[in-house]
Amino acid sequence: MIVAIDGPAGAGKSTLSRRLAERLGFRFLDTGAMYRAVALAAMRRQVDPSDAEAIGRVAAETTITFSEERVFLNGEDVTEEIRTPAVTTAIRYAADNPDVRRRLVEEQRHIGEGGNLVTEGRDQGTVAFPDAACKIFLTASPEERARRRVEDLRNRGQSASFEEILAEQTERDRRDQTRPVGRLIKAEDAVELCTDGMTPEEVVSRMEQIVQAAQEKQQAKR
Ligand code: DC
């Protein structure tokens, strides 16, 4: 079974989806990490960001693998480096590139062929796995997402202004929702889950219930 989880930045998708996968005993795929890895590879090669063809070539020549919770770019552990602000800023050159998206979606489907998988991103229920048996659209209000992010940064000893984080997030939302290919949109058959006011534990339990309901529906069809 494929569990496709999409939603905006800061909704807690990665952490919660990973926990859900652990509970279900499913594999987990963080597709944002794939776009981050391509952006990092392009930065390292000093590719001109406006050269879409060259960025497509970078994706073709890049091998991204996962092991436990680590991400590897051509065999090198880049788990921390793909989360730096420089990569986050450059990501749009990879995420807006149709050639990159085509290759990464192909790779995601290939991983999906291995069976039971929780996969999260922006286009998992719409483009990568339109036939997924279970789709969840995970959201939270912009203010709640920004508040959580500020708290997260402060817990890590970094200073953060709520207004600045909210403004950055609004810009990311706009980009995610207006990208010509693979834009963030709720699949018609996805269950929307707004996590405002819920604890992480409550969200994972609710997600588990949604998966169980989808499993029962799937079994009833057989
Ligand atoms: O989930 P994240 O913040 O790590 O994702 C990084 C970026 O990649 C984000 O700006 C949107 C993009 N992305 C995408 O376009 N499609 C996906 N399936 C996953 C992420």
Side-chain angles (χ1 to χ4, degrees):
M1 179 187 226
I2 303 287
V3 180
I5 301 178
D6 294 304
K13 286 191 309 297
S14 297
T15 316
L16 300 168
S17 306
R18 195 183 289 278
R19 279 202 219 169
L20 174 70
E22 274 166 22
R23 277 215 206 165
L24 297 168
F26 282 21
R27 293 170 305 137
F28 170 69
L29 180 62
D30 171 357
T31 63
M34 299 172 89
Y35 289 92
R36 288 176 179 275
V38 172
L40 174 63
M43 274 168 66
R44 283 184 173 177
R45 289 202 205 172
Q46 299 186 326
V47 173
D48 175 357
S50 65
D51 188 345
E53 220 180 293
I55 297 190
R57 269 200 306 278
V58 171
E61 293 162 7
T62 298
T63 307
I64 305 160
T65 46
F66 296 88
S67 175
E68 306 286 318
E69 296 191 6
R70 318 292 302 171
V71 187
F72 297 83
L73 173 63
N74 298 327
E76 180 195 341
D77 187 342
V78 292
T79 312
E80 276 79 34
E81 207 177 341
I82 57 169
R83 310 251 161 234
T84 55
V87 172
T88 302
T89 306
I91 233 164
R92 65 175 187 270
Y93 303 114
D96 291 352
N97 185 307
D99 198 20
V100 173
R101 298 203 76 88
R102 189 177 49 75
R103 286 177 194 283
L104 293 188
V105 165
E106 205 172 283
E107 180 58 23
Q108 290 154 18
R109 288 181 182 154
H110 179 67
I111 295 170
E113 280 166 14
N116 291 345
L117 177 75
V118 173
T119 178
E120 65 94 354
R122 305 293 189 283
D123 59 348
Q124 295 303 284
T126 49
V127 178
F129 299 100
D131 298 329
C134 182
K135 299 181 187 177
I136 300 174
F137 196 74
L138 200 68
T139 65
S141 65
E143 293 73 21
E144 172 88 8
R145 289 188 279 134
R147 195 189 55 68
R148 287 181 195 160
R149 176 94 182 115
V150 168
E151 201 179 291
D152 195 38
L153 288 169
R154 288 188 183 154
N155 285 341
R156 284 193 251 157
Q158 297 171 29
S159 65
S161 129
F162 177 82
E163 282 71 27
E164 273 174 33
I165 298 284
L166 185 63
E168 279 170 22
Q169 183 185 275
T170 305
E171 175 56 17
R172 281 186 82 188
D173 284 354
R174 190 192 62 76
R175 281 197 173 278
D176 281 347
Q177 288 160 356
T178 57
R179 178 168 294 129
V181 274
R183 72 187 209 276
L184 175 68
I185 183 170
K186 178 186 162 300
E188 262 177 35
D189 50 350
V191 176
E192 182 160 352
L193 179 55
C194 175
T195 64
D196 280 17
M198 290 172 85
T199 65
E201 195 53 34
E202 285 168 343
V203 178
V204 177
S205 295
R206 178 74 194 108
M207 287 163 93
E208 205 177 6
Q209 283 172 1
I210 296 169
V211 174
Q212 275 163 4
Q215 278 172 330
E216 281 162 21
K217 205 167 146 189
Q218 205 179 31
Q219 274 157 10
K221 267 197 209 161
R222 286 194 182 140

